[in-house]
Amino acid sequence: MTLDDWSCIFTAMGRTSDAQNKILDAAKMLIEQRGYSALGVAEICSTAGVPKGSFYYFFESKQALALTVIDDHWAAQRQQWVELLSSDHDPLRRLRDLFEATENVQRTAQQKAGLVVGCLFGNLALELSNQAEEIRDRLQEIFAAQIDLIERVVVEAKDLGLAGASIDTRDTARSIVALMEGRALFAKLLNDPAQLEALWRNCLDLLQVPAQARAN
């Protein structure tokens, strides 16, 4: 690195959170819009408005940055999921609230950038699951955690008689997560967040919800 790079690093040490957050925000935006493999450190730093030398003060590699982006995104998403799925609403309403929030995320992204970005985790799983073992393992953990959160609501719905008595709650929760990923993929492919509107109807079928309960 050049003397200017080192100078920028020492300057960044005094404003760690600001520079690091700029890099994280830029990387997340670029990964969502263009994918991971096509990105270089120089482009990420240019978009973030920080010198390349600062990047290596915070992250040892592009993969280390990607893992941090994944963890940062999951922390925010998990908080939202927990809040929605543990509300005072009945379990079916909580699931519907989650689907509506998911759709709103994609609509907001389209309004801001003109593009439906899809699911960060699903995008990276498709792109890197056969290339980066550490990223694949982390994504597996996140999807398992999502399934755990949804299964708790599915169990409650089943116990209350709002879902079919014969459903396997774990398998159904896994299918709901897969359904969300698939709908997000189509929304991105078609640049159409309305593809997510079918989540609720599809979920009712997976849960084998009786007709009388669907009217609520």
Side-chain angles (χ1 to χ4, degrees), residues 22-212:
K22 286 181 178 178
I23 294 171
L24 284 171
D25 289 344
K28 179 176 180 292
M29 179 188 69
L30 291 169
I31 289 171
E32 284 182 330
Q33 293 181 0
R34 295 182 45 212
Y36 171 86
S37 299
L39 293 180
V41 170
E43 181 181 4
I44 293 170
C45 292
S46 176
T47 302
V50 302
K52 189 174 180 180
S54 295
F55 178 94
Y56 290 104
Y57 172 71
F58 298 114
F59 305 100
E60 64 180 22
S61 66
K62 190 175 78 165
Q63 179 169 308
L65 169 63
L67 286 165
T68 305
V69 168
I70 289 169
D71 287 340
D72 188 64
H73 187 66
W74 173 232
Q77 187 185 84
R78 185 182 186 281
Q79 181 178 356
Q80 182 190 46
W81 280 42
V82 169
E83 289 174 358
L84 292 171
L85 295 178
S86 61
S87 74
D88 293 333
H89 294 159
D90 71 70
L92 294 183
R93 180 68 246 189
R94 277 178 258 157
L95 288 173
R96 189 167 191 173
D97 288 342
L98 176 62
F99 300 151
E100 290 176 353
T102 301
E103 182 181 345
N104 287 337
V105 167
Q106 301 303 325
R107 291 191 181 278
T108 299
Q110 188 187 49
Q111 291 167 3
K112 287 183 177 180
L115 297 170
V116 173
V117 297
C119 172
L120 177 71
F121 305 135
N123 295 345
L124 288 173
L126 289 171
E127 183 180 3
L128 298 175
S129 60
N130 293 326
Q131 302 176 36
E133 182 177 357
E134 192 172 359
I135 290 176
R136 181 184 68 234
D137 291 346
R138 185 67 187 111
L139 292 173
Q140 287 177 350
E141 293 170 357
I142 289 171
F143 282 125
Q146 290 180 347
I147 293 167
D148 288 341
L149 290 171
I150 296 235
E151 185 182 15
R152 294 171 195 166
V153 183
V154 173
V155 168
E156 187 176 349
K158 183 177 179 179
D159 290 345
L160 291 173
L162 299 175
S166 64
I167 65 169
D168 181 303
T169 58
R170 187 66 178 178
D171 186 61
T172 301
R174 186 180 293 108
S175 295
I176 290 172
V177 171
L179 173 64
M180 294 176 71
E181 286 299 318
R183 284 290 174 182
L185 175 62
F186 276 114
K188 180 177 181 178
L189 177 66
L190 301 173
N191 197 30
D192 177 18
Q195 295 297 315
L196 293 159
E197 292 176 359
L199 279 173
W200 175 236
R201 184 174 65 253
N202 297 153
C203 180
L204 293 175
D205 291 336
L206 286 172
L207 291 170
Q208 300 176 17
V209 175
Q212 63 272 22

